[in-house]
Amino acid sequence: MSDFICAYQERAEMALSLYLPSGDDEPCRLHQAMTYSVLNGGKRIRPLLVYAVGLMLGASNDSLDAPAAAVEIIHSYSLIHDDLPPMDNDDLRRGKPTCHKAFDEATAILAGDALQAHAFYVLADNEHLTEKQRVKMLIILTEACGSLGMAGGQAIDLESVGKALTLTELENMHRLKTGALIRASVLLGAVAGNADAKTFEILTQFAELIGLAFQIQDDILDVEGETALLGKQAGADQTLNKPTYPSMLGLQSSKEKMQYVYEAALNTLKQLDFNTAWLYELAAYMVERDR
Ligand code: IPE
Ligand code: IPE
Ligand code: MG
Ligand code: MG
Ligand code: MG
């Protein structure tokens, strides 16, 4: 793994520990479920995107900690709810029992609710960003996790079980359930770095493409990956009859599609007049990963 990725995964861990409430504070069980589900070895791809974009544009480390933590807190909440029995009913997450298994279903629902609210608090209450930046970031993040973003994508995912989607419908579902938060991560970095309109536009294109490549790889790993390495149950999509790229295109064509979208994402970076080295490294990490 690159030095950038190692160093900023560590920074993201520190920011998350700092911003999360302690498990010793009342109500302890709820706070413990929250920290259990966030501080548990995720890859921290979304914070890494915030840092890579923001630093590329000249933002300071300090100004990126809150947006990086906020988007990862939202992501962690989405995973807690994604794993619940009425959704994907998974027992394993990041190599450990899912939140509802380690605690109980009601606590897992509340931990997700509280994490979502807390993410917005972390972003709003931050002295390293201007008020204008904070409002822009709040709009980006709320849009990305609401009914026209992640939650909407999850609704489509659940409605689509056992159905034959068109490729356009599948891509739209991925764009919302996973793409929206990846896109938001890139845009939070762009706001912190005061990107001009043209840069913002190019970064949006990059984010949308790399977000799609990322979820295609997630679908591929569900087929090809090993549970022990993935830290989550392999083969879960097939068991639940989920529409995925491999289920629609087969494994080989899914890999070709992923490669095509990944290269398109890298091509957008060529239009930027900034040092994109870290974004290249991160894009490679997002698709070459085995967990
Ligand atoms: C998994 O996301 C869920 C999806 C949205 C595909 P990640 O692969 O980023 O999971 P963690 O955060 O590293 O556990
Ligand atoms: C999850 O997609 C997307 C969100 C959590 C919003 P998946 O259901 O494919 O994620 P995994 O495979 O359980 O991590
Ligand atoms: Mg799911
Ligand atoms: Mg799932
Ligand atoms: Mg998956």
Side-chain angles (χ1 to χ4, degrees):
M1 233 184 307
S2 81
D3 291 348
F4 162 72
I5 291 175
C6 290
Y8 280 88
Q9 274 175 336
E10 225 169 275
R11 188 166 180 110
E13 294 302 324
M14 280 174 53
L16 287 165
S17 316
L18 188 76
Y19 288 125
L20 282 172
S22 157
D24 296 332
D25 292 343
E26 290 287 350
C28 297
R29 190 172 165 78
L30 177 62
H31 287 137
Q32 281 158 15
M34 290 161 72
T35 53
Y36 174 86
S37 301
V38 180
L39 304 174
N40 63 353
K43 294 181 292 294
R44 312 308 189 199
I45 279 167
R46 295 152 192 82
L48 287 169
L49 283 166
V50 176
Y51 287 118
V53 171
L55 294 170
M56 175 184 84
L57 299 174
S60 67
N61 278 316
D62 287 347
S63 71
L64 297 167
D65 289 335
V71 71
E72 184 69 11
I73 291 171
I74 294 282
H75 167 61
S76 300
Y77 125 66
S78 83
L79 296 178
I80 297 175
H81 283 191
D82 182 71
D83 290 333
L84 283 168
M87 296 192 73
D88 291 354
N89 193 21
D90 271 308
D91 296 349
L92 192 67
R93 171 64 66 183
R94 294 172 169 171
K96 292 202 301 188
T98 44
C99 187
H100 65 277
K101 286 282 164 186
F103 294 83
D104 56 77
E105 285 177 29
T107 304
I109 292 169
L110 291 172
D113 293 341
L115 283 170
Q116 176 167 210
H118 192 65
F120 297 124
Y121 174 76
V122 166
L123 204 46
D125 180 51
N126 191 278
E127 61 188 19
H128 298 288
L129 299 162
T130 65
E131 272 181 25
K132 214 169 163 187
Q133 284 174 318
R134 282 183 263 170
V135 171
K136 271 192 191 169
M137 288 185 179
L138 284 165
I139 292 171
I140 288 169
L141 199 53
T142 45
E143 278 186 338
C145 69
S147 59
L148 300 177
M150 182 273 291
Q154 291 285 67
I156 298 172
D157 177 296
L158 295 175
E159 275 166 18
S160 306
V161 168
K163 282 193 196 153
L165 298 185
T166 64
L167 267 184
T168 311
E169 286 168 334
L170 180 71
E171 191 170 315
N172 185 47
M173 176 178 97
H174 280 21
R175 187 174 62 78
L176 295 176
K177 77 169 185 175
T178 306
L181 274 185
I182 303 257
R183 184 175 181 272
S185 308
V186 168
L187 298 186
L188 294 182
V191 171
N194 296 313
D196 60 37
K198 177 83 186 130
T199 305
F200 208 83
E201 172 59 32
I202 297 167
L203 284 170
T204 304
Q205 285 170 19
F206 164 74
E208 289 177 356
L209 290 162
I210 202 64
L212 179 59
F214 177 82
Q215 181 62 43
I216 301 176
Q217 178 65 6
D218 185 80
D219 289 355
I220 292 171
L221 284 172
D222 188 83
V223 179
E224 280 199 322
E226 288 168 39
T227 303
L229 208 62
L230 282 178
K232 58 187 183 185
Q233 180 61 49
D237 292 335
Q238 211 186 352
T239 308
L240 291 177
N241 214 357
K242 294 266 183 180
T244 62
Y245 272 86
S247 77
M248 285 188 63
L249 292 181
L251 210 44
Q252 191 50 37
S253 299
S254 300
K255 288 182 185 176
E256 284 161 17
K257 170 84 183 175
M258 200 275 283
Q259 190 63 27
Y260 177 82
V261 179
Y262 169 53
E263 280 166 23
L266 296 184
N267 276 331
T268 62
L269 295 180
K270 292 184 185 145
Q271 301 170 60
L272 291 171
D273 287 329
F274 294 94
N275 182 352
T276 52
W278 288 349
L279 272 183
Y280 269 91
E281 288 173 12
L282 189 46
Y285 179 56
M286 288 172 71
V287 299
E288 286 163 9
R289 66 204 167 93
D290 52 15
R291 72 178 181 103

XYZ file of all heavy atoms in Angstrom, residues 77-119:
329
model
N -22.765 4.048 9.508
C -24.200 3.905 9.832
C -24.916 3.129 8.732
O -25.734 2.249 8.987
C -24.841 5.290 10.071
C -26.057 5.597 9.234
C -27.251 4.879 9.403
C -26.029 6.583 8.246
C -28.358 5.142 8.600
C -27.117 6.844 7.455
C -28.293 6.112 7.625
O -29.371 6.349 6.828
N -24.572 3.431 7.460
C -25.265 2.750 6.347
C -24.966 1.250 6.378
O -25.817 0.431 6.027
C -24.891 3.370 5.006
O -23.657 2.858 4.506
N -23.765 0.880 6.821
C -23.414 -0.541 6.900
C -24.178 -1.240 8.030
O -24.622 -2.377 7.880
C -21.899 -0.715 7.105
C -21.002 -0.230 5.960
C -19.534 -0.421 6.318
C -21.320 -0.953 4.658
N -24.332 -0.557 9.171
C -25.087 -1.157 10.287
C -26.502 -1.496 9.813
O -27.002 -2.604 10.030
C -25.179 -0.184 11.492
C -23.802 0.126 12.057
C -26.080 -0.773 12.573
C -23.826 1.178 13.173
N -27.153 -0.531 9.154
C -28.518 -0.770 8.701
C -28.553 -1.767 7.539
O -29.446 -2.609 7.466
C -29.184 0.552 8.320
C -29.623 1.365 9.516
N -30.440 2.468 9.428
C -29.352 1.221 10.842
C -30.658 2.963 10.638
N -29.995 2.231 11.511
N -27.558 -1.705 6.647
C -27.488 -2.642 5.510
C -27.440 -4.095 5.998
O -27.965 -4.998 5.343
C -26.234 -2.318 4.685
C -26.076 -3.192 3.450
O -26.863 -3.015 2.498
O -25.176 -4.053 3.439
N -26.804 -4.311 7.145
C -26.624 -5.677 7.662
C -27.827 -6.202 8.447
O -27.885 -7.395 8.762
C -25.390 -5.713 8.593
C -24.085 -5.556 7.820
O -24.051 -5.927 6.629
O -23.089 -5.072 8.415
N -28.770 -5.333 8.792
C -29.905 -5.760 9.627
C -30.740 -6.841 8.928
O -30.789 -6.888 7.694
C -30.801 -4.548 9.938
C -30.278 -3.585 11.008
C -31.105 -2.294 10.996
C -30.316 -4.223 12.394
N -31.406 -7.694 9.710
C -32.198 -8.780 9.111
C -33.175 -8.346 8.015
O -33.240 -9.007 6.984
C -32.916 -9.396 10.321
C -31.960 -9.142 11.443
C -31.343 -7.797 11.169
N -33.930 -7.250 8.136
C -34.849 -6.932 7.026
C -34.127 -6.389 5.796
O -34.748 -6.238 4.739
C -35.775 -5.861 7.612
C -35.081 -5.337 8.796
C -34.111 -6.348 9.279
N -32.866 -6.107 5.910
C -32.105 -5.660 4.735
C -31.264 -6.847 4.255
O -31.820 -7.782 3.708
C -31.324 -4.384 5.047
C -32.289 -3.228 5.365
S -31.589 -1.575 5.424
C -31.286 -1.225 3.720
N -29.947 -6.853 4.443
C -29.156 -7.967 3.886
C -28.954 -9.129 4.863
O -28.420 -10.168 4.497
C -27.782 -7.455 3.413
C -27.901 -6.560 2.191
O -29.018 -6.440 1.654
O -26.878 -5.985 1.778
N -29.357 -8.926 6.113
C -29.291 -10.003 7.111
C -27.911 -10.653 7.191
O -27.775 -11.856 7.009
C -30.369 -11.055 6.795
C -30.564 -12.027 7.950
O -30.211 -11.718 9.094
N -31.106 -13.191 7.662
N -26.900 -9.823 7.426
C -25.533 -10.341 7.494
C -25.043 -10.430 8.942
O -25.380 -9.593 9.770
C -24.581 -9.434 6.688
C -24.495 -9.864 5.238
O -24.238 -11.061 4.998
O -24.691 -9.018 4.353
N -24.223 -11.461 9.194
C -23.711 -11.695 10.552
C -22.296 -11.171 10.746
O -21.813 -11.066 11.877
C -23.667 -13.209 10.852
C -25.051 -13.812 10.855
O -26.034 -13.039 10.838
O -25.156 -15.051 10.869
N -21.613 -10.913 9.619
C -20.190 -10.582 9.697
C -19.933 -9.259 8.967
O -20.403 -9.056 7.846
C -19.399 -11.707 9.007
C -17.892 -11.730 9.215
C -17.546 -12.030 10.662
C -17.267 -12.799 8.294
N -19.170 -8.383 9.611
C -18.836 -7.095 8.998
C -17.443 -6.703 9.460
O -17.175 -6.673 10.650
C -19.875 -6.049 9.402
C -19.578 -4.615 9.023
C -19.531 -4.383 7.538
N -20.805 -4.575 6.869
C -20.939 -4.474 5.534
N -19.909 -4.175 4.764
N -22.110 -4.694 4.965
N -16.571 -6.384 8.527
C -15.201 -5.983 8.853
C -14.549 -7.019 9.797
O -13.872 -6.673 10.765
C -15.177 -4.568 9.449
C -15.604 -3.487 8.442
C -15.759 -2.101 9.082
N -15.923 -1.029 8.108
C -16.250 0.215 8.428
N -16.448 0.569 9.667
N -16.358 1.139 7.488
N -14.862 -8.275 9.532
C -14.233 -9.373 10.266
C -14.771 -9.620 11.664
O -14.205 -10.426 12.404
N -15.849 -8.922 12.027
C -16.407 -9.099 13.371
C -17.927 -9.268 13.269
O -18.518 -8.949 12.237
C -16.109 -7.855 14.231
C -14.620 -7.702 14.543
C -14.394 -6.833 15.786
C -14.975 -5.441 15.634
N -14.626 -4.537 16.722
N -18.582 -9.757 14.331
C -20.047 -9.837 14.277
C -20.644 -8.468 13.954
O -20.132 -7.441 14.410
C -20.425 -10.271 15.704
C -19.216 -10.956 16.236
C -18.030 -10.257 15.604
N -21.695 -8.473 13.139
C -22.365 -7.213 12.796
C -22.922 -6.572 14.069
O -23.080 -7.241 15.093
C -23.505 -7.476 11.788
O -24.233 -8.635 12.216
C -22.954 -7.756 10.407
N -23.240 -5.312 13.980
C -23.672 -4.564 15.175
C -24.868 -5.231 15.854
O -24.881 -5.395 17.072
C -24.003 -3.124 14.772
S -24.353 -2.054 16.163
N -25.851 -5.672 15.065
C -27.040 -6.261 15.698
C -26.752 -7.625 16.310
O -27.494 -8.091 17.163
C -28.224 -6.337 14.727
C -28.020 -7.247 13.559
N -27.358 -6.866 12.412
C -28.375 -8.537 13.358
C -27.330 -7.879 11.565
N -27.937 -8.898 12.114
N -25.677 -8.290 15.855
C -25.277 -9.569 16.462
C -24.498 -9.321 17.755
O -24.674 -10.019 18.748
C -24.398 -10.373 15.490
C -25.171 -10.973 14.345
C -25.899 -12.223 14.830
C -26.977 -12.631 13.837
N -27.792 -13.742 14.348
N -23.601 -8.337 17.715
C -22.790 -8.046 18.900
C -23.629 -7.383 19.992
O -23.370 -7.572 21.181
C -21.626 -7.141 18.522
N -24.640 -6.593 19.580
C -25.515 -5.923 20.545
C -26.915 -6.527 20.381
O -27.105 -7.676 20.723
C -25.454 -4.400 20.336
C -24.094 -3.837 20.662
C -23.052 -3.871 19.734
C -23.832 -3.325 21.924
C -21.783 -3.388 20.044
C -22.558 -2.838 22.249
C -21.532 -2.872 21.309
N -27.847 -5.777 19.829
C -29.175 -6.337 19.521
C -29.767 -5.445 18.432
O -29.227 -4.374 18.147
C -30.063 -6.368 20.772
C -30.191 -5.000 21.407
O -30.957 -4.173 20.875
O -29.478 -4.710 22.394
N -30.868 -5.875 17.838
C -31.384 -5.151 16.665
C -31.801 -3.716 16.990
O -31.498 -2.792 16.251
C -32.557 -5.905 16.043
C -32.095 -7.124 15.274
C -33.233 -7.941 14.699
O -34.302 -7.366 14.400
O -33.037 -9.157 14.543
N -32.476 -3.547 18.123
C -32.928 -2.193 18.469
C -31.727 -1.267 18.663
O -31.718 -0.127 18.181
C -33.782 -2.236 19.727
N -30.702 -1.769 19.332
C -29.507 -0.942 19.554
C -28.825 -0.624 18.232
O -28.330 0.490 18.022
C -28.538 -1.663 20.519
O -29.245 -1.947 21.724
C -27.320 -0.813 20.839
N -28.815 -1.585 17.316
C -28.189 -1.342 16.010
C -28.951 -0.270 15.226
O -28.337 0.594 14.587
C -28.116 -2.643 15.209
N -30.268 -0.309 15.294
C -31.063 0.722 14.603
C -30.730 2.092 15.192
O -30.466 3.059 14.472
C -32.580 0.424 14.730
C -32.934 -0.847 13.941
C -33.417 1.615 14.240
C -34.342 -1.376 14.210
N -30.709 2.158 16.513
C -30.439 3.443 17.176
C -29.004 3.910 16.954
O -28.754 5.113 16.808
C -30.732 3.323 18.678
C -32.219 3.173 19.020
C -32.399 2.870 20.495
C -32.999 4.427 18.623
N -28.070 2.966 16.929
C -26.670 3.350 16.687
C -26.569 3.994 15.297
O -25.892 5.013 15.118
C -25.756 2.133 16.790
N -27.253 3.425 14.309
C -27.263 4.014 12.967
C -27.877 5.408 12.992
O -27.319 6.363 12.451
N -29.019 5.528 13.640
C -29.704 6.836 13.729
C -28.778 7.874 14.357
O -28.632 8.997 13.852
C -30.953 6.742 14.623
C -32.040 5.873 14.020
O -32.002 5.630 12.803
O -32.926 5.434 14.778
N -28.172 7.496 15.486
C -27.348 8.447 16.231
C -26.079 8.799 15.450
O -25.639 9.959 15.471
C -26.990 7.864 17.599
N -25.517 7.833 14.762
C -24.311 8.125 13.964
C -24.644 9.099 12.845
O -23.862 10.009 12.547
C -23.724 6.833 13.374
C -22.941 5.956 14.354
C -22.615 4.607 13.727
C -21.657 6.656 14.821
N -25.791 8.908 12.234
C -26.165 9.818 11.145
C -26.242 11.262 11.661
O -25.657 12.178 11.089
C -27.491 9.399 10.499
C -27.926 10.381 9.454
C -29.042 9.895 8.557
O -29.101 10.301 7.408
N -29.913 9.059 9.031
N -26.940 11.437 12.770
C -27.054 12.785 13.337
C -25.673 13.318 13.731
O -25.345 14.490 13.507
C -27.989 12.757 14.548
N -24.879 12.434 14.306
C -23.565 12.874 14.804
C -22.657 13.343 13.660
O -21.885 14.293 13.823
C -22.897 11.744 15.584
C -21.702 12.196 16.350
N -21.783 13.091 17.392
C -20.384 11.918 16.203
C -20.579 13.332 17.851
N -19.698 12.642 17.151
N -22.773 12.712 12.515
C -21.943 13.104 11.368
C -22.209 14.568 10.998
O -21.273 15.331 10.725
C -22.244 12.198 10.176
